[in-house]
PDB file of all heavy atoms in Angstrom:
ATOM      1  N   CYS A  14     117.970  69.646  93.689  1.00 98.00           N
ATOM      2  CA  CYS A  14     116.644  69.523  93.093  1.00 98.00           C
ATOM      3  C   CYS A  14     116.740  68.631  91.870  1.00 98.00           C
ATOM      4  O   CYS A  14     117.674  68.756  91.068  1.00 98.00           O
ATOM      5  CB  CYS A  14     116.113  70.905  92.702  1.00 98.00           C
ATOM      6  SG  CYS A  14     114.405  70.873  92.080  1.00 98.00           S
ATOM      7  N   LEU A  15     115.795  67.736  91.717  1.00 98.00           N
ATOM      8  CA  LEU A  15     115.674  66.908  90.519  1.00 98.00           C
ATOM      9  C   LEU A  15     114.757  67.641  89.554  1.00 98.00           C
ATOM     10  O   LEU A  15     113.683  68.097  89.950  1.00 98.00           O
ATOM     11  CB  LEU A  15     115.083  65.547  90.876  1.00 98.00           C
ATOM     12  CG  LEU A  15     115.813  64.764  91.961  1.00 98.00           C
ATOM     13  CD1 LEU A  15     114.998  63.541  92.370  1.00 98.00           C
ATOM     14  CD2 LEU A  15     117.207  64.369  91.498  1.00 98.00           C
ATOM     15  N   LEU A  16     115.181  67.729  88.299  1.00 98.00           N
ATOM     16  CA  LEU A  16     114.391  68.416  87.271  1.00 98.00           C
ATOM     17  C   LEU A  16     114.205  67.448  86.111  1.00 98.00           C
ATOM     18  O   LEU A  16     115.171  67.087  85.441  1.00 98.00           O
ATOM     19  CB  LEU A  16     115.115  69.686  86.815  1.00 98.00           C
ATOM     20  CG  LEU A  16     114.386  70.580  85.836  1.00 98.00           C
ATOM     21  CD1 LEU A  16     113.155  71.208  86.489  1.00 98.00           C
ATOM     22  CD2 LEU A  16     115.315  71.680  85.334  1.00 98.00           C
ATOM     23  N   SER A  17     112.977  67.014  85.900  1.00 97.00           N
ATOM     24  CA  SER A  17     112.722  65.956  84.927  1.00 97.00           C
ATOM     25  C   SER A  17     111.530  66.292  84.042  1.00 97.00           C
ATOM     26  O   SER A  17     110.561  66.907  84.491  1.00 97.00           O
ATOM     27  CB  SER A  17     112.446  64.644  85.669  1.00 97.00           C
ATOM     28  OG  SER A  17     112.122  63.615  84.766  1.00 97.00           O
ATOM     29  N   ASN A  18     111.617  65.859  82.806  1.00 95.00           N
ATOM     30  CA  ASN A  18     110.477  65.975  81.901  1.00 95.00           C
ATOM     31  C   ASN A  18     109.510  64.812  82.088  1.00 95.00           C
ATOM     32  O   ASN A  18     108.462  64.767  81.460  1.00 95.00           O
ATOM     33  CB  ASN A  18     110.951  66.039  80.444  1.00 95.00           C
ATOM     34  CG  ASN A  18     111.537  67.392  80.095  1.00 95.00           C
ATOM     35  OD1 ASN A  18     111.416  68.363  80.848  1.00 95.00           O
ATOM     36  ND2 ASN A  18     112.189  67.469  78.939  1.00 95.00           N
ATOM     37  N   ASN A  19     109.853  63.872  82.956  1.00 95.00           N
ATOM     38  CA  ASN A  19     108.990  62.720  83.233  1.00 95.00           C
ATOM     39  C   ASN A  19     107.812  63.113  84.113  1.00 95.00           C
ATOM     40  O   ASN A  19     107.794  64.176  84.722  1.00 95.00           O
ATOM     41  CB  ASN A  19     109.788  61.619  83.939  1.00 95.00           C
ATOM     42  CG  ASN A  19     110.579  60.801  82.960  1.00 95.00           C
ATOM     43  OD1 ASN A  19     110.027  60.246  82.023  1.00 95.00           O
ATOM     44  ND2 ASN A  19     111.889  60.747  83.168  1.00 95.00           N
ATOM     45  N   ARG A  20     106.868  62.187  84.202  1.00 96.00           N
ATOM     46  CA  ARG A  20     105.681  62.386  85.034  1.00 96.00           C
ATOM     47  C   ARG A  20     106.038  62.316  86.523  1.00 96.00           C
ATOM     48  O   ARG A  20     107.066  61.763  86.909  1.00 96.00           O
ATOM     49  CB  ARG A  20     104.632  61.322  84.704  1.00 96.00           C
ATOM     50  CG  ARG A  20     104.125  61.403  83.277  1.00 96.00           C
ATOM     51  CD  ARG A  20     103.107  60.293  83.024  1.00 96.00           C
ATOM     52  NE  ARG A  20     102.889  60.098  81.611  1.00 96.00           N
ATOM     53  CZ  ARG A  20     101.979  60.753  80.899  1.00 96.00           C
ATOM     54  NH1 ARG A  20     101.213  61.643  81.484  1.00 96.00           N
ATOM     55  NH2 ARG A  20     101.838  60.521  79.617  1.00 96.00           N
ATOM     56  N   ARG A  21     105.155  62.846  87.337  1.00 98.00           N
ATOM     57  CA  ARG A  21     105.357  62.905  88.788  1.00 98.00           C
ATOM     58  C   ARG A  21     105.640  61.528  89.377  1.00 98.00           C
ATOM     59  O   ARG A  21     106.513  61.374  90.234  1.00 98.00           O
ATOM     60  CB  ARG A  21     104.124  63.546  89.440  1.00 98.00           C
ATOM     61  CG  ARG A  21     104.083  63.536  90.940  1.00 98.00           C
ATOM     62  CD  ARG A  21     105.223  64.177  91.705  1.00 98.00           C
ATOM     63  NE  ARG A  21     105.586  65.498  91.296  1.00 98.00           N
ATOM     64  CZ  ARG A  21     106.794  66.033  91.551  1.00 98.00           C
ATOM     65  NH1 ARG A  21     107.710  65.343  92.217  1.00 98.00           N
ATOM     66  NH2 ARG A  21     107.085  67.246  91.169  1.00 98.00           N
ATOM     67  N   GLY A  22     104.937  60.483  88.924  1.00 97.00           N
ATOM     68  CA  GLY A  22     105.146  59.142  89.474  1.00 97.00           C
ATOM     69  C   GLY A  22     106.574  58.662  89.305  1.00 97.00           C
ATOM     70  O   GLY A  22     107.151  58.059  90.221  1.00 97.00           O
ATOM     71  N   ARG A  23     107.136  58.902  88.140  1.00 97.00           N
ATOM     72  CA  ARG A  23     108.528  58.497  87.879  1.00 97.00           C
ATOM     73  C   ARG A  23     109.489  59.256  88.790  1.00 97.00           C
ATOM     74  O   ARG A  23     110.394  58.677  89.394  1.00 97.00           O
ATOM     75  CB  ARG A  23     108.875  58.746  86.403  1.00 97.00           C
ATOM     76  CG  ARG A  23     110.362  58.776  86.099  1.00 97.00           C
ATOM     77  CD  ARG A  23     111.018  57.425  86.328  1.00 97.00           C
ATOM     78  NE  ARG A  23     112.448  57.480  86.135  1.00 97.00           N
ATOM     79  CZ  ARG A  23     113.324  57.016  87.020  1.00 97.00           C
ATOM     80  NH1 ARG A  23     112.935  56.499  88.157  1.00 97.00           N
ATOM     81  NH2 ARG A  23     114.615  57.055  86.773  1.00 97.00           N
ATOM     82  N   VAL A  24     109.308  60.553  88.886  1.00 98.00           N
ATOM     83  CA  VAL A  24     110.196  61.386  89.691  1.00 98.00           C
ATOM     84  C   VAL A  24     110.081  60.999  91.165  1.00 98.00           C
ATOM     85  O   VAL A  24     111.094  60.839  91.863  1.00 98.00           O
ATOM     86  CB  VAL A  24     109.896  62.884  89.466  1.00 98.00           C
ATOM     87  CG1 VAL A  24     110.721  63.756  90.392  1.00 98.00           C
ATOM     88  CG2 VAL A  24     110.150  63.257  87.998  1.00 98.00           C
ATOM     89  N   ASP A  25     108.853  60.809  91.651  1.00 98.00           N
ATOM     90  CA  ASP A  25     108.648  60.431  93.048  1.00 98.00           C
ATOM     91  C   ASP A  25     109.248  59.060  93.354  1.00 98.00           C
ATOM     92  O   ASP A  25     109.793  58.844  94.447  1.00 98.00           O
ATOM     93  CB  ASP A  25     107.161  60.432  93.402  1.00 98.00           C
ATOM     94  CG  ASP A  25     106.585  61.828  93.505  1.00 98.00           C
ATOM     95  OD1 ASP A  25     107.362  62.814  93.521  1.00 98.00           O
ATOM     96  OD2 ASP A  25     105.345  61.951  93.560  1.00 98.00           O
ATOM     97  N   MET A  26     109.151  58.128  92.413  1.00 97.00           N
ATOM     98  CA  MET A  26     109.725  56.795  92.611  1.00 97.00           C
ATOM     99  C   MET A  26     111.237  56.904  92.812  1.00 97.00           C
ATOM    100  O   MET A  26     111.791  56.269  93.707  1.00 97.00           O
ATOM    101  CB  MET A  26     109.403  55.899  91.407  1.00 97.00           C
ATOM    102  CG  MET A  26     109.871  54.461  91.574  1.00 97.00           C
ATOM    103  SD  MET A  26     111.357  54.033  90.648  1.00 97.00           S
ATOM    104  CE  MET A  26     110.789  54.070  88.973  1.00 97.00           C
ATOM    105  N   PHE A  27     111.903  57.714  92.026  1.00 97.00           N
ATOM    106  CA  PHE A  27     113.350  57.890  92.187  1.00 97.00           C
ATOM    107  C   PHE A  27     113.652  58.637  93.487  1.00 97.00           C
ATOM    108  O   PHE A  27     114.572  58.298  94.221  1.00 97.00           O
ATOM    109  CB  PHE A  27     113.946  58.665  90.999  1.00 97.00           C
ATOM    110  CG  PHE A  27     115.416  58.915  91.165  1.00 97.00           C
ATOM    111  CD1 PHE A  27     116.337  57.961  90.790  1.00 97.00           C
ATOM    112  CD2 PHE A  27     115.881  60.092  91.739  1.00 97.00           C
ATOM    113  CE1 PHE A  27     117.700  58.168  90.983  1.00 97.00           C
ATOM    114  CE2 PHE A  27     117.231  60.321  91.935  1.00 97.00           C
ATOM    115  CZ  PHE A  27     118.144  59.359  91.550  1.00 97.00           C
ATOM    116  N   ASN A  28     112.885  59.665  93.778  1.00 98.00           N
ATOM    117  CA  ASN A  28     113.172  60.561  94.898  1.00 98.00           C
ATOM    118  C   ASN A  28     112.756  59.989  96.256  1.00 98.00           C
ATOM    119  O   ASN A  28     113.129  60.538  97.294  1.00 98.00           O
ATOM    120  CB  ASN A  28     112.487  61.910  94.670  1.00 98.00           C
ATOM    121  CG  ASN A  28     113.062  63.009  95.525  1.00 98.00           C
ATOM    122  OD1 ASN A  28     114.230  62.973  95.924  1.00 98.00           O
ATOM    123  ND2 ASN A  28     112.259  64.007  95.805  1.00 98.00           N
ATOM    124  N   LYS A  29     112.041  58.875  96.259  1.00 96.00           N
ATOM    125  CA  LYS A  29     111.524  58.286  97.504  1.00 96.00           C
ATOM    126  C   LYS A  29     112.628  58.123  98.550  1.00 96.00           C
ATOM    127  O   LYS A  29     112.442  58.481  99.704  1.00 96.00           O
ATOM    128  CB  LYS A  29     110.864  56.937  97.193  1.00 96.00           C
ATOM    129  CG  LYS A  29     110.265  56.239  98.404  1.00 96.00           C
ATOM    130  CD  LYS A  29     109.586  54.954  98.023  1.00 96.00           C
ATOM    131  CE  LYS A  29     110.645  53.948  97.711  1.00 96.00           C
ATOM    132  NZ  LYS A  29     110.425  52.597  98.064  1.00 96.00           N
ATOM    133  N   ASP A  30     113.771  57.610  98.148  1.00 93.00           N
ATOM    134  CA  ASP A  30     114.873  57.372  99.093  1.00 93.00           C
ATOM    135  C   ASP A  30     115.924  58.481  99.067  1.00 93.00           C
ATOM    136  O   ASP A  30     116.900  58.409  99.815  1.00 93.00           O
ATOM    137  CB  ASP A  30     115.555  56.038  98.788  1.00 93.00           C
ATOM    138  CG  ASP A  30     114.627  54.857  99.030  1.00 93.00           C
ATOM    139  OD1 ASP A  30     113.778  54.944  99.945  1.00 93.00           O
ATOM    140  OD2 ASP A  30     114.740  53.854  98.304  1.00 93.00           O
ATOM    141  N   ILE A  31     115.730  59.464  98.207  1.00 96.00           N
ATOM    142  CA  ILE A  31     116.692  60.563  98.099  1.00 96.00           C
ATOM    143  C   ILE A  31     116.229  61.742  98.961  1.00 96.00           C
ATOM    144  O   ILE A  31     116.978  62.299  99.741  1.00 96.00           O
ATOM    145  CB  ILE A  31     116.857  61.011  96.621  1.00 96.00           C
ATOM    146  CG1 ILE A  31     117.317  59.840  95.745  1.00 96.00           C
ATOM    147  CG2 ILE A  31     117.807  62.194  96.516  1.00 96.00           C
ATOM    148  CD1 ILE A  31     118.684  59.309  96.004  1.00 96.00           C
ATOM    149  N   GLY A  32     114.981  62.158  98.767  1.00 97.00           N
ATOM    150  CA  GLY A  32     114.385  63.187  99.602  1.00 97.00           C
ATOM    151  C   GLY A  32     114.851  64.606  99.339  1.00 97.00           C
ATOM    152  O   GLY A  32     115.026  65.382 100.276  1.00 97.00           O
ATOM    153  N   VAL A  33     115.032  64.947  98.064  1.00 98.00           N
ATOM    154  CA  VAL A  33     115.399  66.325  97.721  1.00 98.00           C
ATOM    155  C   VAL A  33     114.217  66.993  97.019  1.00 98.00           C
ATOM    156  O   VAL A  33     113.213  66.357  96.724  1.00 98.00           O
ATOM    157  CB  VAL A  33     116.673  66.378  96.837  1.00 98.00           C
ATOM    158  CG1 VAL A  33     117.867  65.792  97.584  1.00 98.00           C
ATOM    159  CG2 VAL A  33     116.461  65.666  95.505  1.00 98.00           C
ATOM    160  N   TYR A  34     114.345  68.283  96.730  1.00 98.00           N
ATOM    161  CA  TYR A  34     113.313  68.956  95.954  1.00 98.00           C
ATOM    162  C   TYR A  34     113.202  68.277  94.594  1.00 98.00           C
ATOM    163  O   TYR A  34     114.194  67.739  94.070  1.00 98.00           O
ATOM    164  CB  TYR A  34     113.675  70.427  95.731  1.00 98.00           C
ATOM    165  CG  TYR A  34     113.726  71.244  96.987  1.00 98.00           C
ATOM    166  CD1 TYR A  34     114.937  71.737  97.464  1.00 98.00           C
ATOM    167  CD2 TYR A  34     112.564  71.543  97.698  1.00 98.00           C
ATOM    168  CE1 TYR A  34     115.000  72.505  98.611  1.00 98.00           C
ATOM    169  CE2 TYR A  34     112.617  72.304  98.859  1.00 98.00           C
ATOM    170  CZ  TYR A  34     113.837  72.785  99.302  1.00 98.00           C
ATOM    171  OH  TYR A  34     113.891  73.536 100.440  1.00 98.00           O
ATOM    172  N   SER A  35     112.010  68.326  94.004  1.00 98.00           N
ATOM    173  CA  SER A  35     111.856  67.723  92.682  1.00 98.00           C
ATOM    174  C   SER A  35     110.777  68.453  91.887  1.00 98.00           C
ATOM    175  O   SER A  35     109.816  68.970  92.451  1.00 98.00           O
ATOM    176  CB  SER A  35     111.511  66.236  92.795  1.00 98.00           C
ATOM    177  OG  SER A  35     110.245  66.069  93.402  1.00 98.00           O
ATOM    178  N   ILE A  36     110.989  68.472  90.585  1.00 98.00           N
ATOM    179  CA  ILE A  36     110.039  69.069  89.651  1.00 98.00           C
ATOM    180  C   ILE A  36     109.845  68.078  88.517  1.00 98.00           C
ATOM    181  O   ILE A  36     110.811  67.670  87.861  1.00 98.00           O
ATOM    182  CB  ILE A  36     110.556  70.416  89.104  1.00 98.00           C
ATOM    183  CG1 ILE A  36     110.768  71.407  90.255  1.00 98.00           C
ATOM    184  CG2 ILE A  36     109.602  70.970  88.053  1.00 98.00           C
ATOM    185  CD1 ILE A  36     111.558  72.638  89.881  1.00 98.00           C
ATOM    186  N   ALA A  37     108.597  67.671  88.304  1.00 98.00           N
ATOM    187  CA  ALA A  37     108.258  66.765  87.206  1.00 98.00           C
ATOM    188  C   ALA A  37     107.634  67.570  86.082  1.00 98.00           C
ATOM    189  O   ALA A  37     107.239  68.720  86.270  1.00 98.00           O
ATOM    190  CB  ALA A  37     107.287  65.697  87.702  1.00 98.00           C
ATOM    191  N   MET A  38     107.542  66.954  84.922  1.00 97.00           N
ATOM    192  CA  MET A  38     106.923  67.600  83.752  1.00 97.00           C
ATOM    193  C   MET A  38     107.502  69.009  83.555  1.00 97.00           C
ATOM    194  O   MET A  38     106.777  69.982  83.348  1.00 97.00           O
ATOM    195  CB  MET A  38     105.404  67.649  83.908  1.00 97.00           C
ATOM    196  CG  MET A  38     104.746  66.294  84.122  1.00 97.00           C
ATOM    197  SD  MET A  38     104.841  65.193  82.695  1.00 97.00           S
ATOM    198  CE  MET A  38     103.693  65.994  81.603  1.00 97.00           C
ATOM    199  N   ALA A  39     108.820  69.112  83.598  1.00 97.00           N
ATOM    200  CA  ALA A  39     109.514  70.398  83.611  1.00 97.00           C
ATOM    201  C   ALA A  39     109.548  71.106  82.261  1.00 97.00           C
ATOM    202  O   ALA A  39     109.873  72.285  82.207  1.00 97.00           O
ATOM    203  CB  ALA A  39     110.940  70.209  84.123  1.00 97.00           C
ATOM    204  N   ALA A  40     109.264  70.398  81.194  1.00 96.00           N
ATOM    205  CA  ALA A  40     109.277  70.983  79.843  1.00 96.00           C
ATOM    206  C   ALA A  40     110.637  71.558  79.477  1.00 96.00           C
ATOM    207  O   ALA A  40     110.725  72.581  78.809  1.00 96.00           O
ATOM    208  CB  ALA A  40     108.169  72.027  79.691  1.00 96.00           C
ATOM    209  N   LYS A  41     111.720  70.876  79.923  1.00 96.00           N
ATOM    210  CA  LYS A  41     113.061  71.313  79.512  1.00 96.00           C
ATOM    211  C   LYS A  41     113.121  71.286  77.993  1.00 96.00           C
ATOM    212  O   LYS A  41     112.594  70.354  77.398  1.00 96.00           O
ATOM    213  CB  LYS A  41     114.142  70.383  80.091  1.00 96.00           C
ATOM    214  CG  LYS A  41     114.255  70.413  81.585  1.00 96.00           C
ATOM    215  CD  LYS A  41     115.336  69.469  82.102  1.00 96.00           C
ATOM    216  CE  LYS A  41     114.935  68.017  81.975  1.00 96.00           C
ATOM    217  NZ  LYS A  41     115.866  67.068  82.542  1.00 96.00           N
ATOM    218  N   PRO A  42     113.662  72.259  77.357  1.00 96.00           N
ATOM    219  CA  PRO A  42     114.590  73.294  77.816  1.00 96.00           C
ATOM    220  C   PRO A  42     113.942  74.610  78.255  1.00 96.00           C
ATOM    221  O   PRO A  42     114.635  75.631  78.358  1.00 96.00           O
ATOM    222  CB  PRO A  42     115.473  73.530  76.603  1.00 96.00           C
ATOM    223  CG  PRO A  42     114.542  73.345  75.442  1.00 96.00           C
ATOM    224  CD  PRO A  42     113.611  72.229  75.877  1.00 96.00           C
ATOM    225  N   ALA A  43     112.671  74.636  78.547  1.00 97.00           N
ATOM    226  CA  ALA A  43     112.049  75.866  79.038  1.00 97.00           C
ATOM    227  C   ALA A  43     112.744  76.317  80.321  1.00 97.00           C
ATOM    228  O   ALA A  43     113.124  75.492  81.151  1.00 97.00           O
ATOM    229  CB  ALA A  43     110.559  75.641  79.298  1.00 97.00           C
ATOM    230  N   LYS A  44     112.868  77.607  80.500  1.00 98.00           N
ATOM    231  CA  LYS A  44     113.545  78.169  81.669  1.00 98.00           C
ATOM    232  C   LYS A  44     112.762  77.977  82.960  1.00 98.00           C
ATOM    233  O   LYS A  44     113.339  77.945  84.044  1.00 98.00           O
ATOM    234  CB  LYS A  44     113.760  79.676  81.480  1.00 98.00           C
ATOM    235  CG  LYS A  44     114.708  80.058  80.395  1.00 98.00           C
ATOM    236  CD  LYS A  44     114.881  81.573  80.466  1.00 98.00           C
ATOM    237  CE  LYS A  44     115.192  82.190  79.148  1.00 98.00           C
ATOM    238  NZ  LYS A  44     115.325  83.655  79.283  1.00 98.00           N
ATOM    239  N   SER A  45     111.455  77.854  82.867  1.00 98.00           N
ATOM    240  CA  SER A  45     110.602  77.874  84.060  1.00 98.00           C
ATOM    241  C   SER A  45     110.988  76.825  85.094  1.00 98.00           C
ATOM    242  O   SER A  45     110.986  77.109  86.300  1.00 98.00           O
ATOM    243  CB  SER A  45     109.134  77.719  83.670  1.00 98.00           C
ATOM    244  OG  SER A  45     108.943  76.526  82.936  1.00 98.00           O
ATOM    245  N   GLY A  46     111.315  75.626  84.681  1.00 98.00           N
ATOM    246  CA  GLY A  46     111.691  74.579  85.633  1.00 98.00           C
ATOM    247  C   GLY A  46     112.990  74.891  86.356  1.00 98.00           C
ATOM    248  O   GLY A  46     113.115  74.667  87.568  1.00 98.00           O
ATOM    249  N   TYR A  47     113.952  75.414  85.627  1.00 98.00           N
ATOM    250  CA  TYR A  47     115.239  75.773  86.225  1.00 98.00           C
ATOM    251  C   TYR A  47     115.039  76.902  87.242  1.00 98.00           C
ATOM    252  O   TYR A  47     115.614  76.870  88.335  1.00 98.00           O
ATOM    253  CB  TYR A  47     116.224  76.210  85.143  1.00 98.00           C
ATOM    254  CG  TYR A  47     116.538  75.138  84.140  1.00 98.00           C
ATOM    255  CD1 TYR A  47     115.706  74.897  83.047  1.00 98.00           C
ATOM    256  CD2 TYR A  47     117.680  74.346  84.255  1.00 98.00           C
ATOM    257  CE1 TYR A  47     115.986  73.910  82.119  1.00 98.00           C
ATOM    258  CE2 TYR A  47     117.979  73.360  83.327  1.00 98.00           C
ATOM    259  CZ  TYR A  47     117.120  73.145  82.263  1.00 98.00           C
ATOM    260  OH  TYR A  47     117.413  72.162  81.359  1.00 98.00           O
ATOM    261  N   LEU A  48     114.221  77.890  86.868  1.00 98.00           N
ATOM    262  CA  LEU A  48     113.952  79.015  87.763  1.00 98.00           C
ATOM    263  C   LEU A  48     113.213  78.556  89.022  1.00 98.00           C
ATOM    264  O   LEU A  48     113.524  78.986  90.133  1.00 98.00           O
ATOM    265  CB  LEU A  48     113.157  80.098  87.032  1.00 98.00           C
ATOM    266  CG  LEU A  48     113.897  80.784  85.870  1.00 98.00           C
ATOM    267  CD1 LEU A  48     112.941  81.670  85.070  1.00 98.00           C
ATOM    268  CD2 LEU A  48     115.096  81.574  86.368  1.00 98.00           C
ATOM    269  N   LYS A  49     112.250  77.653  88.844  1.00 98.00           N
ATOM    270  CA  LYS A  49     111.505  77.124  89.997  1.00 98.00           C
ATOM    271  C   LYS A  49     112.435  76.329  90.907  1.00 98.00           C
ATOM    272  O   LYS A  49     112.340  76.420  92.138  1.00 98.00           O
ATOM    273  CB  LYS A  49     110.333  76.262  89.528  1.00 98.00           C
ATOM    274  CG  LYS A  49     109.493  75.738  90.678  1.00 98.00           C
ATOM    275  CD  LYS A  49     108.283  74.973  90.181  1.00 98.00           C
ATOM    276  CE  LYS A  49     107.466  74.447  91.356  1.00 98.00           C
ATOM    277  NZ  LYS A  49     106.371  73.592  90.921  1.00 98.00           N
ATOM    278  N   ALA A  50     113.348  75.553  90.306  1.00 98.00           N
ATOM    279  CA  ALA A  50     114.304  74.779  91.106  1.00 98.00           C
ATOM    280  C   ALA A  50     115.157  75.710  91.965  1.00 98.00           C
ATOM    281  O   ALA A  50     115.359  75.456  93.161  1.00 98.00           O
ATOM    282  CB  ALA A  50     115.189  73.925  90.199  1.00 98.00           C
ATOM    283  N   MET A  51     115.647  76.796  91.381  1.00 98.00           N
ATOM    284  CA  MET A  51     116.451  77.746  92.150  1.00 98.00           C
ATOM    285  C   MET A  51     115.624  78.388  93.257  1.00 98.00           C
ATOM    286  O   MET A  51     116.118  78.595  94.372  1.00 98.00           O
ATOM    287  CB  MET A  51     117.055  78.803  91.227  1.00 98.00           C
ATOM    288  CG  MET A  51     118.178  78.254  90.361  1.00 98.00           C
ATOM    289  SD  MET A  51     119.012  79.529  89.387  1.00 98.00           S
ATOM    290  CE  MET A  51     117.829  79.776  88.063  1.00 98.00           C
ATOM    291  N   GLN A  52     114.369  78.680  92.967  1.00 98.00           N
ATOM    292  CA  GLN A  52     113.487  79.269  93.977  1.00 98.00           C
ATOM    293  C   GLN A  52     113.310  78.294  95.149  1.00 98.00           C
ATOM    294  O   GLN A  52     113.408  78.681  96.318  1.00 98.00           O
ATOM    295  CB  GLN A  52     112.143  79.624  93.360  1.00 98.00           C
ATOM    296  CG  GLN A  52     111.161  80.229  94.340  1.00 98.00           C
ATOM    297  CD  GLN A  52     109.795  80.484  93.701  1.00 98.00           C
ATOM    298  OE1 GLN A  52     109.425  79.866  92.708  1.00 98.00           O
ATOM    299  NE2 GLN A  52     109.044  81.390  94.293  1.00 98.00           N
ATOM    300  N   LEU A  53     113.053  77.027  94.851  1.00 98.00           N
ATOM    301  CA  LEU A  53     112.888  76.018  95.895  1.00 98.00           C
ATOM    302  C   LEU A  53     114.148  75.888  96.756  1.00 98.00           C
ATOM    303  O   LEU A  53     114.067  75.744  97.980  1.00 98.00           O
ATOM    304  CB  LEU A  53     112.558  74.656  95.277  1.00 98.00           C
ATOM    305  CG  LEU A  53     111.178  74.482  94.660  1.00 98.00           C
ATOM    306  CD1 LEU A  53     111.099  73.171  93.890  1.00 98.00           C
ATOM    307  CD2 LEU A  53     110.094  74.536  95.731  1.00 98.00           C
ATOM    308  N   MET A  54     115.317  75.925  96.097  1.00 98.00           N
ATOM    309  CA  MET A  54     116.584  75.728  96.807  1.00 98.00           C
ATOM    310  C   MET A  54     117.087  77.001  97.481  1.00 98.00           C
ATOM    311  O   MET A  54     118.022  76.940  98.287  1.00 98.00           O
ATOM    312  CB  MET A  54     117.657  75.206  95.848  1.00 98.00           C
ATOM    313  CG  MET A  54     117.374  73.845  95.269  1.00 98.00           C
ATOM    314  SD  MET A  54     118.747  73.188  94.300  1.00 98.00           S
ATOM    315  CE  MET A  54     118.887  74.395  92.964  1.00 98.00           C
ATOM    316  N   GLY A  55     116.525  78.153  97.110  1.00 98.00           N
ATOM    317  CA  GLY A  55     117.008  79.412  97.657  1.00 98.00           C
ATOM    318  C   GLY A  55     118.340  79.833  97.062  1.00 98.00           C
ATOM    319  O   GLY A  55     119.149  80.487  97.725  1.00 98.00           O
ATOM    320  N   THR A  56     118.568  79.450  95.801  1.00 98.00           N
ATOM    321  CA  THR A  56     119.814  79.800  95.119  1.00 98.00           C
ATOM    322  C   THR A  56     119.509  80.731  93.953  1.00 98.00           C
ATOM    323  O   THR A  56     118.355  81.081  93.702  1.00 98.00           O
ATOM    324  CB  THR A  56     120.553  78.535  94.621  1.00 98.00           C
ATOM    325  OG1 THR A  56     119.716  77.835  93.676  1.00 98.00           O
ATOM    326  CG2 THR A  56     120.901  77.601  95.778  1.00 98.00           C
TER     327      THR A  56
END
């Protein structure tokens, strides 16, 4: 999973050829993005 504080457009541009889970506007260091990433990945 990609976890970025950048906007969705930036994350999608990078992920276009990668094709993994991604979270934009994650507000790191907030825990919520990390927790959501684990939920998406099933880890």
Side-chain angles (χ1 to χ4, degrees):
C14 185
L15 305 171
L16 185 67
S17 177
N18 285 349
N19 279 304
R20 297 179 196 271
R21 173 57 50 202
R23 162 66 184 129
V24 175
D25 287 348
M26 184 256 291
F27 177 85
N28 198 27
K29 181 178 74 144
D30 294 327
I31 302 293
V33 298
Y34 295 111
S35 65
I36 300 167
M38 303 293 288
K41 295 180 288 185
K44 293 185 209 179
S45 57
Y47 298 83
L48 295 171
K49 182 176 179 186
M51 288 186 282
Q52 179 184 23
L53 289 170
M54 296 187 298
T56 61

